[in-house]
Amino acid sequence: MADFDLIVIGAGSGGVRAARIAAGHGAKVAIAEEHKVGGTCVIRGCVPKKLLVYGAHFAEDLEDAAMFGWDVPTKRFDWPVLRDNVLAEVSRLEAAYTETLTNHQVEIFHERAEMTGPTEVTLASGKKLSAGKILIATGARPLMPEVEGIEHAISSNEVFHLERMPKRIVIAGGGYIANEFAGIFHQFGAHVTLVNRSDTLLRGYDQQLVDRLLQISIRKGIDYKFNTTFERIERRDDGSLKLVMKGSDDIEADEVLFAVGRRPNVEALGCAAAGVEVGDKGEIKVDDDNRTSAASVFAVGDVTDRVQLTPVAIREGQAFADTFFGNIPCKVDYGCIPSAVFSHPPLAGVGMTEGQARNKLGSIKVYTSDFRAMKNVLAGRNERSLYKLVVDATSDEIVGIHMIGPDAPEILQAAAIAVKARLKKADFAATVALHPTMAEELVLMR
Ligand code: FAD
């Protein structure tokens, strides 16, 4: 008899969902977590990041308030107040996740775990646990490149704990995390330089929207250095940093944040001992049922490097638990996954970009609305939004929606249902506008 039906390694988005659902189906479940229950999303990802995005937005709202009749006499940002409030909220959520697991009779081991066989896990304390099945849900971690002086740089793990707000920050990377923090730090008053080794930002997002974000961000004062890499990072006696670059002049900064990618957490996990095959990028290889090359070992979430997003990890965890403990076979549908960049302004997209649709379908129609949000007009904020509908010209189906502008991710979540349901442009046109909103542009494009 094994100690548990299921041992989950990693209490993040995927692991917590799988543990809770499997336990709900009657399984005896244990979960091991080396850091904090909640994982990346709750502890040092989506949640604290979004709270900083909200905090950052006040900079513009307070600026715009005057045109709406509000006299805001003093405006001073206190980073430690926001930081500590965000960290307190994170602790509250950590406790809530722990309680959920405990309420479902999931036994939590607050220590690192390693597989020492296909059905055996050894904890950092030396305790051995056996299980019918093991689920690897260990997520991913920031990739720190091999640059001289990299120890002076921070990653997204440390960014939420900064002692003080830097006056000058350099952010390395071109993906969503780099662009989100560029917006956050800029709004908090830091001078931001975004350094990217290529000239492509936000790969996978519609190019027109990315260009719009770049144009708005440059106008706001964010500096971009493309085709630039780091040669060396030096810490000066006064605590500041000198960044010796390839492709640009040296940069002086107070902080340098690397957001250049994330690597699956498979080190010292015992993959070889368990007979689990690992791919070239360090990802755990799985089939459509999240099964690894070892019959008793499964993996979900970022560690499998399929789509590194929280809702996807959660769905994979749910599908695994339902299939193997609830006798409800199901697979995750990876089509039409909406995603967003919580930049300033935010952008969001679902389905095919214009470029992808042109390559795949050939004959497409693109509808755009390029407008200034009413609130921005009154505030005198010269920032234009852009919405795009990408339509299959043959079937009239909407195959992609892409938006940049205030609240774009909130609006896109609802619009994504239409793309998933393969609604047609005619369905949008037949829907009466809800006036006055920004979202009404979606049904008014002709
Ligand atoms: P994780 O949530 O990373 O959980 C893995 C857990 O395993 C961790 O707690 C880790 O400590 C633990 N662990 C690892 N190895 C071991 C071991 N050997 N023993 C015990 N425990 C172990 N996604 C979105 O959808 N929207 C967003 O806005 C968004 N923003 C993000 C912002 C940032 C800054 C970052 C870094 C990520 C963001 N993500 C976002 C991505 C999201 O956080 C991940 O996709 C999601 O957390 C993946 O869940 P997971 O269960 O695979 O892994």
Side-chain angles (χ1 to χ4, degrees):
M1 270 294 279
D3 300 327
F4 295 94
D5 298 316
L6 171 67
I7 297 178
V8 179
I9 308 180
S13 307
V16 168
R17 176 58 68 97
R20 175 167 76 75
I21 300 299
H25 288 312
K28 190 175 179 212
V29 183
I31 195 163
E33 171 54 55
E34 67 171 344
H35 184 54
K36 290 182 175 177
V37 171
T40 304
C41 178
V42 173
I43 307 295
R44 45 197 181 187
C46 336
V47 172
K49 182 254 333 251
K50 187 71 188 287
L51 292 171
L52 293 191
V53 169
Y54 281 130
H57 215 278
F58 279 95
E60 289 183 352
D61 289 344
L62 290 171
E63 232 170 64
D64 296 349
M67 282 305 286
F68 291 86
W70 290 92
D71 177 20
V72 185
T74 52
K75 203 175 74 162
R76 196 182 65 83
F77 174 62
D78 193 332
W79 162 248
V81 170
L82 177 62
R83 179 198 60 202
D84 293 349
N85 287 342
V86 169
L87 294 178
E89 173 60 6
V90 164
S91 298
R92 189 189 69 77
L93 289 170
E94 183 193 352
Y97 274 72
T98 304
E99 196 182 318
T100 303
L101 289 172
T102 316
N103 287 346
H104 283 80
Q105 278 76 49
V106 174
E107 192 166 342
I108 306 173
F109 294 93
H110 293 275
E111 43 186 320
R112 191 175 166 79
E114 180 183 343
M115 294 178 291
T116 35
T119 54
E120 185 188 76
V121 162
T122 302
L123 300 174
S125 57
K127 189 178 172 69
K128 289 189 187 302
L129 308 172
S130 61
K133 289 184 173 54
I134 296 173
L135 178 69
I136 303 170
T138 50
R141 65 177 185 287
L143 168 75
M144 297 302 269
E146 283 184 20
V147 171
E148 192 185 328
I150 192 74
E151 66 277 11
H152 302 307
I154 58 167
S155 72
S156 59
N157 285 351
E158 293 79 40
V159 75
F160 302 106
H161 300 268
L162 287 180
E163 211 168 298
R164 62 186 72 85
M165 185 48 45
K167 287 197 171 61
R168 303 158 300 177
I169 184 164
V170 171
I171 300 176
Y176 78 97
I177 296 176
N179 279 280
E180 290 175 339
F181 279 107
I184 290 169
F185 280 104
H186 171 74
Q187 299 291 110
F188 288 153
H191 180 268
V192 177
T193 307
L194 193 138
V195 172
N196 194 22
R197 66 174 179 184
S198 73
D199 57 4
T200 310
L201 284 184
L202 298 171
R203 203 179 295 273
Y205 283 93
D206 194 275
Q207 194 55 48
Q208 232 181 320
L209 272 72
V210 176
D211 290 346
R212 177 63 55 93
L213 176 64
L214 188 59
Q215 181 200 351
I216 294 173
S217 303
I218 289 174
R219 207 181 309 128
K220 282 182 175 171
I222 297 178
D223 275 344
Y224 288 83
K225 290 193 188 300
F226 292 110
N227 301 310
T228 301
T229 53
F230 290 75
E231 199 168 300
R232 189 166 79 245
I233 303 169
E234 293 171 11
R235 172 82 69 193
R236 294 230 171 92
D237 290 345
D238 65 0
S240 68
L241 298 171
K242 178 182 169 187
L243 310 176
V244 181
M245 311 300 292
K246 276 186 225 154
S248 91
D249 294 340
D250 296 351
I251 310 174
E252 307 280 325
D254 304 303
E255 288 290 354
V256 54
L257 164 67
F258 274 79
V260 293
R262 294 180 58 78
R263 286 288 168 271
N265 281 326
V266 291
E267 282 72 23
L269 190 60
C271 290
V276 171
E277 204 184 322
V278 175
D280 295 341
K281 287 180 279 170
E283 81 284 10
I284 305 253
K285 289 181 159 186
V286 285
D287 65 14
D288 287 353
D289 282 322
N290 302 297
R291 192 190 297 272
T292 70
S293 51
S296 54
V297 184
F298 299 75
V300 296
D302 283 8
V303 73
T304 63
D305 198 20
R306 286 173 285 186
V307 180
Q308 292 193 335
L309 289 174
T310 283
V312 177
I314 289 174
R315 283 195 170 227
E316 289 169 354
Q318 175 94 36
F320 160 75
D322 280 343
T323 302
F324 296 101
F325 294 97
N327 206 16
I328 314 163
C330 51
K331 296 187 198 312
V332 174
D333 174 358
Y334 293 92
C336 281
I337 297 174
S339 66
V341 184
F342 294 95
S343 42
H344 286 79
L347 63 87
V350 65
M352 285 186 252
T353 63
E354 180 179 346
Q356 289 164 346
R358 226 174 263 294
N359 286 341
K360 189 159 180 218
L361 305 173
S363 174
I364 61 165
K365 280 188 188 159
V366 178
Y367 299 82
T368 57
S369 175
D370 191 334
F371 63 100
R372 247 171 113 196
M374 192 192 261
K375 184 167 171 253
N376 282 347
V377 176
L378 192 74
R381 184 169 289 285
N382 190 19
E383 212 175 282
R384 297 187 72 83
S385 302
L386 178 65
Y387 289 7
K388 271 178 96 164
L389 294 184
V390 183
V391 178
D392 181 339
T394 316
S395 64
D396 194 41
E397 268 175 33
I398 298 186
V399 294
I401 303 182
H402 309 277
M403 322 168 64
I404 180 167
D407 296 329
E410 299 289 344
I411 300 166
L412 187 102
Q413 173 67 88
I417 301 168
V419 181
K420 185 75 186 155
R422 305 179 67 171
L423 293 190
K424 299 193 167 168
K425 173 70 176 67
D427 297 311
F428 273 44
T431 305
V432 175
L434 198 165
H435 185 72
T437 60
M438 292 175 286
E440 69 180 309
E441 295 298 324
L442 286 174
V443 298
L444 295 176
M445 288 186 227
R446 298 285 184 265

